[in-house]
Amino acid sequence: MSASLPDNAAIGVFILFFVATIVLGSTVRFWRPLLNRRKATTHHSQGEEWGLGGREFGAWVTWFLVGGDFYTAYTVIAVPALVYSTGGFGFFALPYTIIVYPFIFAVMPKLWTIARDGGHATAADIVRARFGSRTLELAVAISGLVAVLPYIALQLIGIRTVVEALGYTGMLPLLFAFVSLAAYTWLGGLHAPALTAFIKDVMIYIAVLAAVIIVPIHLGGYGAMFHAATEHLPAIPGGRIVSQDQTVPYATLALSSAFAAFLYPHTLTGILAAKSADTIRQNAVFLPIYTIVLGLIALLGLMAHAAGIVTTSSSQVVPQLFLAIFPSWFAGFCFAAIAVGALVPASVMAIGAANLIMHNILPRHSESVTGSRLAGLGVKVGALGCVVFLNAKFAIDLQLLGGVIILQTFPALIMGLLPLRLSAPALIGGWASGSLFGLGLCWLDGLKPVHPIAFGGFSASVSTGLLALGVNIMVTMVLGSVIRLALGASPSTLQPRQNMRRQG
């Protein structure tokens, strides 16, 4: 079954829904007061209002915001593309989204409380207050900033992909993606994605539910669909979902992705914008609903095989499937859902990165809304450069590359909450070692997210991010011991600061 060419109906429906979302988000400051007529009881600076929404989002808004910036174009474009190319291996995204929620429930309320009490807006704020180190603060801030660039690039690819599926080629689709994201974020701040995330989710749910019901009907049912998919994918002995040599990379990618997921500036921004720690716990309980939808979305990669979709670009799998199965006007609606599904989280990502720049890299200008907007624009330019210059085989590799980088902040931010004898110099040494090691492996492996290792007769490919994190922790612990021995430190000498209020 070949995909039909999009017509004016598809283009018109796409423009209607996509532009409407941008307009709603860009004008949020005018219509938001109509939804909340209660008088504000707390004064927030303009910078905090633009970057954290005034820390006033309740359970409902936080659920859509966190879910909206967690389930992105990565979900709708990249995961089905990986399943289309590799089969069951692409489903590693499901266990990682299950592993991460107990982590959110246990850790994130504590981080939120620290951030509220100390007036912190970023992970780097928390780390500096904990360890009293400007250098460590910069290390965490730079890691967050660099890690989010390929993630935003993935969202730009998502928007570009559906615009290309509508028949536009060249640089126009990418420029369209960049300009729409820049306008949406500049004018709306964090309130834009927070209050339009529900539109994105409803559109995604409609598109996905229609796909998992209508596509199998067209293909003769799920049994016929799975049978057709097995004829196109490499055969795996013994009826296994993943091959023997895929088991370790499957498990380690799931684990490293779970550790990294809520270290990113955008996911942490969604957490810190909540109005209470209980709001975060409630979300940790109900966010797994998104994982069910993720599993259905991943099936689109198998459906594409059964539908006879053949494409040289794996990112085009889902758009071509929709064009082949759905009426043109509904395909246009689904394209708008994918584009909005990239726009909303990309906006939160840019805002989270801008918070790092304004609070930690250029802290003297932290309350400037214009400065934050310009910083966010600069981040999006950097992400545009990632799309143009990083040659990743799969779109999902861009997200996994960001995971390698952001995982190096785990010891300082998460292990720093534990009663461990960690010192800033040791953490900086571990961060530098892990970052250089991880990025070096990524460069040598052509941006692949796994690296082959062999030890004592055991050989397998392991998540590069997890390997780099292991190096980070090992160096941190060894350096910490060396520093204590060199200084003759007592157990209390190198304890982190207990004053968690923001420094400087």
Side-chain angles (χ1 to χ4, degrees):
M1 184 182 299
S2 60
S4 61
L5 293 175
D7 57 19
N8 290 336
I11 296 172
V13 172
F14 172 82
I15 292 174
L16 173 65
F17 282 93
F18 189 65
V19 172
T21 302
I22 292 177
V23 171
L24 283 173
S26 301
T27 59
V28 66
R29 67 183 184 277
F30 299 113
W31 56 266
R32 184 173 66 91
L34 300 177
L35 299 179
N36 184 10
R37 297 177 179 275
R38 292 177 302 173
K39 268 189 155 182
T41 57
T42 305
H43 173 74
H44 303 290
S45 68
Q46 287 186 322
E48 184 172 282
E49 189 72 22
W50 187 88
L52 284 178
R55 303 180 195 260
E56 62 183 20
F57 296 149
W60 186 248
V61 173
T62 301
W63 188 76
F64 279 112
L65 179 63
V66 174
D69 62 40
F70 191 33
Y71 294 89
T72 66
Y74 159 82
T75 306
V76 188
I77 293 292
V79 171
L82 189 61
V83 172
Y84 176 86
S85 300
T86 65
F89 182 76
F91 282 87
F92 84 88
L94 270 70
Y96 114 63
T97 57
I98 295 170
I99 295 170
V100 74
Y101 295 120
F103 175 79
I104 297 172
F105 188 91
V107 175
M108 291 301 150
K110 185 171 184 178
L111 275 181
W112 180 90
T113 301
I114 292 171
R116 179 204 59 186
D117 293 345
H120 310 314
T122 67
D125 284 347
I126 296 171
V127 168
R128 184 184 180 188
R130 177 69 168 165
F131 295 99
S133 171
R134 170 65 173 158
T135 304
L136 186 58
E137 175 192 19
L138 284 173
V140 172
I142 291 170
S143 292
L145 178 60
V146 175
V148 85
L149 293 181
Y151 216 154
I152 298 175
L154 176 56
Q155 313 315 311
L156 293 176
I157 288 174
I159 300 173
R160 181 186 69 179
T161 297
V162 295
V163 175
E164 288 176 340
L166 289 169
Y168 298 94
T169 58
M171 288 295 294
L172 180 62
L174 187 57
L175 291 175
F176 174 84
F178 175 80
V179 171
S180 58
L181 174 60
Y184 179 79
T185 308
W186 182 282
L187 296 173
L190 190 62
H191 283 292
L195 297 182
T196 56
F198 77 96
I199 299 175
K200 168 251 186 189
D201 284 346
V202 169
M203 292 175 68
I204 290 289
Y205 292 155
I206 292 172
V208 172
L209 290 176
V212 299
I213 294 172
I214 295 174
V215 174
I217 291 175
H218 273 264
L219 302 176
Y222 274 96
M225 181 194 80
F226 286 123
H227 178 74
T230 58
E231 295 180 350
H232 293 86
L233 293 168
I236 300 177
R240 297 167 60 93
I241 297 176
V242 295
S243 64
Q244 186 70 37
D245 60 350
Q246 289 179 327
T247 303
V248 174
Y250 181 97
T252 55
L253 278 177
L255 185 60
S256 63
S257 297
F259 284 159
F262 277 79
L263 301 178
Y264 284 101
H266 61 286
T267 46
L268 199 56
T269 293
I271 292 294
L272 298 185
K275 71 177 182 181
S276 71
D278 283 340
T279 297
I280 298 168
R281 295 187 185 96
Q282 292 168 12
N283 273 266
V285 172
F286 292 107
L287 276 170
I289 294 172
Y290 278 98
T291 302
I292 300 173
V293 180
L294 174 59
L296 298 176
I297 291 172
L299 287 176
L300 297 178
L302 300 181
M303 293 178 187
H305 279 302
I309 301 299
V310 178
T311 175
T312 57
S313 172
S314 60
S315 296
Q316 282 291 341
V317 166
V318 172
Q320 293 303 313
L321 175 65
F322 288 164
L323 284 173
I325 299 295
F326 292 143
S328 181
W329 67 269
F330 191 70
F333 172 84
C334 293
F335 291 172
I338 294 172
V340 171
L343 182 73
V344 169
S347 177
V348 184
M349 293 173 194
I351 291 168
N355 286 342
L356 286 173
I357 294 173
M358 300 308 295
H359 281 261
N360 307 111
I361 298 175
L362 302 172
R364 293 184 181 181
H365 308 283
S366 61
E367 303 303 328
S368 169
V369 176
T370 301
S372 296
R373 287 170 168 167
L374 289 172
L377 181 61
V379 169
K380 290 184 278 287
V381 171
L384 185 64
C386 289
V387 177
V388 174
F389 297 111
L390 288 182
N391 184 25
K393 181 178 180 181
F394 298 111
I396 200 171
D397 289 346
L398 291 173
Q399 185 265 344
L400 294 171
L401 174 62
V404 173
I405 299 168
I406 200 64
L407 266 175
Q408 307 319 309
T409 66
F410 186 91
L413 183 62
I414 305 303
M415 292 174 62
L417 298 175
L418 302 175
L420 299 174
R421 296 167 62 188
L422 301 175
S423 66
L427 287 166
I428 293 168
W431 167 83
S433 301
S435 298
L436 291 173
F437 180 80
L439 290 175
L441 290 185
C442 287
W443 180 263
L444 292 174
D445 296 333
L447 299 186
K448 290 180 181 179
V450 293
H451 182 76
I453 62 171
F455 180 77
F458 170 82
S459 63
S461 292
V462 178
S463 162
T464 304
L466 214 55
L467 290 174
L469 179 60
V471 170
N472 185 335
I473 294 175
M474 181 179 67
V475 172
T476 297
M477 294 303 183
V478 171
L479 275 181
S481 299
V482 170
I483 291 172
R484 285 193 298 272
L485 289 173
L487 298 179
S490 65
S492 61
T493 303
L494 294 175
Q495 289 290 331
R497 291 188 180 187
Q498 297 304 312
N499 176 20
M500 300 297 287
R501 296 198 62 83
R502 189 169 189 269
Q503 307 291 314

mmCIF file of all heavy atoms in Angstrom, residues 1 7 20 39 41 72 135 170 185 203 297 323 453 471 490:
data_model
loop_
_atom_site.group_PDB
_atom_site.id
_atom_site.type_symbol
_atom_site.label_atom_id
_atom_site.label_comp_id
_atom_site.label_asym_id
_atom_site.label_seq_id
_atom_site.Cartn_x
_atom_site.Cartn_y
_atom_site.Cartn_z
ATOM 1 N N MET A 1 0.852 -1.187 0.000
ATOM 2 C CA MET A 1 0.000 0.000 0.000
ATOM 3 C C MET A 1 0.887 1.235 0.000
ATOM 4 O O MET A 1 1.723 1.385 0.877
ATOM 5 C CB MET A 1 -0.896 0.008 1.244
ATOM 6 C CG MET A 1 -1.880 1.157 1.292
ATOM 7 S SD MET A 1 -2.860 1.103 2.831
ATOM 8 C CE MET A 1 -3.675 -0.482 2.683
ATOM 9 N N ASP A 7 -3.284 16.598 -0.163
ATOM 10 C CA ASP A 7 -3.959 17.599 -0.976
ATOM 11 C C ASP A 7 -4.214 18.847 -0.138
ATOM 12 O O ASP A 7 -3.732 18.966 0.992
ATOM 13 C CB ASP A 7 -5.263 17.043 -1.561
ATOM 14 C CG ASP A 7 -6.209 16.541 -0.465
ATOM 15 O OD1 ASP A 7 -6.038 16.947 0.709
ATOM 16 O OD2 ASP A 7 -7.117 15.762 -0.789
ATOM 17 N N ALA A 20 -3.486 27.631 15.246
ATOM 18 C CA ALA A 20 -4.357 27.936 16.389
ATOM 19 C C ALA A 20 -3.625 27.707 17.698
ATOM 20 O O ALA A 20 -3.749 28.494 18.644
ATOM 21 C CB ALA A 20 -5.612 27.078 16.322
ATOM 22 N N LYS A 39 -7.337 36.336 43.104
ATOM 23 C CA LYS A 39 -6.258 37.307 43.282
ATOM 24 C C LYS A 39 -4.973 36.613 43.661
ATOM 25 O O LYS A 39 -4.955 35.703 44.472
ATOM 26 C CB LYS A 39 -6.621 38.300 44.388
ATOM 27 C CG LYS A 39 -7.304 39.538 43.882
ATOM 28 C CD LYS A 39 -7.418 40.522 45.027
ATOM 29 C CE LYS A 39 -7.516 41.926 44.488
ATOM 30 N NZ LYS A 39 -7.581 42.893 45.554
ATOM 31 N N THR A 41 -1.764 35.851 45.555
ATOM 32 C CA THR A 41 -1.372 36.112 46.944
ATOM 33 C C THR A 41 0.138 36.209 47.098
ATOM 34 O O THR A 41 0.628 36.573 48.140
ATOM 35 C CB THR A 41 -1.895 34.983 47.852
ATOM 36 O OG1 THR A 41 -1.384 33.733 47.378
ATOM 37 C CG2 THR A 41 -3.428 34.941 47.836
ATOM 38 N N THR A 72 7.219 13.382 23.547
ATOM 39 C CA THR A 72 7.484 14.425 22.565
ATOM 40 C C THR A 72 7.507 13.832 21.157
ATOM 41 O O THR A 72 6.968 12.759 20.906
ATOM 42 C CB THR A 72 8.848 15.063 22.876
ATOM 43 O OG1 THR A 72 9.862 14.064 22.653
ATOM 44 C CG2 THR A 72 8.933 15.549 24.307
ATOM 45 N N THR A 135 32.258 26.644 40.321
ATOM 46 C CA THR A 135 32.730 25.797 39.223
ATOM 47 C C THR A 135 31.790 24.622 38.997
ATOM 48 O O THR A 135 31.445 24.289 37.857
ATOM 49 C CB THR A 135 34.147 25.284 39.505
ATOM 50 O OG1 THR A 135 35.020 26.386 39.731
ATOM 51 C CG2 THR A 135 34.667 24.465 38.329
ATOM 52 N N GLY A 170 13.362 20.896 0.786
ATOM 53 C CA GLY A 170 14.439 21.864 0.963
ATOM 54 C C GLY A 170 14.541 22.329 2.401
ATOM 55 O O GLY A 170 14.189 21.616 3.350
ATOM 56 N N THR A 185 7.541 30.414 21.913
ATOM 57 C CA THR A 185 8.247 30.509 23.187
ATOM 58 C C THR A 185 8.474 31.963 23.599
ATOM 59 O O THR A 185 8.320 32.327 24.769
ATOM 60 C CB THR A 185 9.602 29.784 23.097
ATOM 61 O OG1 THR A 185 9.394 28.467 22.597
ATOM 62 C CG2 THR A 185 10.267 29.712 24.450
ATOM 63 N N MET A 203 -5.106 15.893 20.970
ATOM 64 C CA MET A 203 -4.871 15.629 19.555
ATOM 65 C C MET A 203 -4.080 14.335 19.359
ATOM 66 O O MET A 203 -4.400 13.515 18.477
ATOM 67 C CB MET A 203 -4.140 16.805 18.913
ATOM 68 C CG MET A 203 -4.967 18.074 18.824
ATOM 69 S SD MET A 203 -4.013 19.491 18.198
ATOM 70 C CE MET A 203 -3.741 18.974 16.502
ATOM 71 N N ILE A 297 1.783 3.784 20.422
ATOM 72 C CA ILE A 297 2.496 4.558 19.397
ATOM 73 C C ILE A 297 3.624 3.727 18.794
ATOM 74 O O ILE A 297 3.853 3.752 17.582
ATOM 75 C CB ILE A 297 3.037 5.865 19.998
ATOM 76 C CG1 ILE A 297 1.885 6.808 20.350
ATOM 77 C CG2 ILE A 297 3.996 6.554 19.036
ATOM 78 C CD1 ILE A 297 2.299 8.046 21.114
ATOM 79 N N LEU A 323 -0.766 8.855 5.715
ATOM 80 C CA LEU A 323 -1.207 9.207 4.368
ATOM 81 C C LEU A 323 -1.779 7.998 3.628
ATOM 82 O O LEU A 323 -2.702 8.134 2.821
ATOM 83 C CB LEU A 323 -0.037 9.802 3.570
ATOM 84 C CG LEU A 323 0.372 11.239 3.891
ATOM 85 C CD1 LEU A 323 1.644 11.612 3.152
ATOM 86 C CD2 LEU A 323 -0.752 12.215 3.535
ATOM 87 N N ILE A 453 31.708 -3.739 24.626
ATOM 88 C CA ILE A 453 32.754 -3.980 25.625
ATOM 89 C C ILE A 453 32.988 -5.485 25.725
ATOM 90 O O ILE A 453 32.120 -6.295 25.407
ATOM 91 C CB ILE A 453 32.383 -3.419 27.013
ATOM 92 C CG1 ILE A 453 31.131 -4.107 27.562
ATOM 93 C CG2 ILE A 453 32.192 -1.910 26.955
ATOM 94 C CD1 ILE A 453 30.834 -3.775 29.000
ATOM 95 N N VAL A 471 32.149 5.675 35.041
ATOM 96 C CA VAL A 471 33.458 6.333 35.132
ATOM 97 C C VAL A 471 33.365 7.558 36.039
ATOM 98 O O VAL A 471 34.250 7.802 36.886
ATOM 99 C CB VAL A 471 33.949 6.740 33.722
ATOM 100 C CG1 VAL A 471 35.184 7.628 33.818
ATOM 101 C CG2 VAL A 471 34.259 5.494 32.889
ATOM 102 N N SER A 490 38.828 14.996 58.737
ATOM 103 C CA SER A 490 37.943 14.254 59.630
ATOM 104 C C SER A 490 36.636 14.019 58.894
ATOM 105 O O SER A 490 36.376 14.632 57.869
ATOM 106 C CB SER A 490 37.687 15.071 60.902
ATOM 107 O OG SER A 490 36.975 16.245 60.571
#
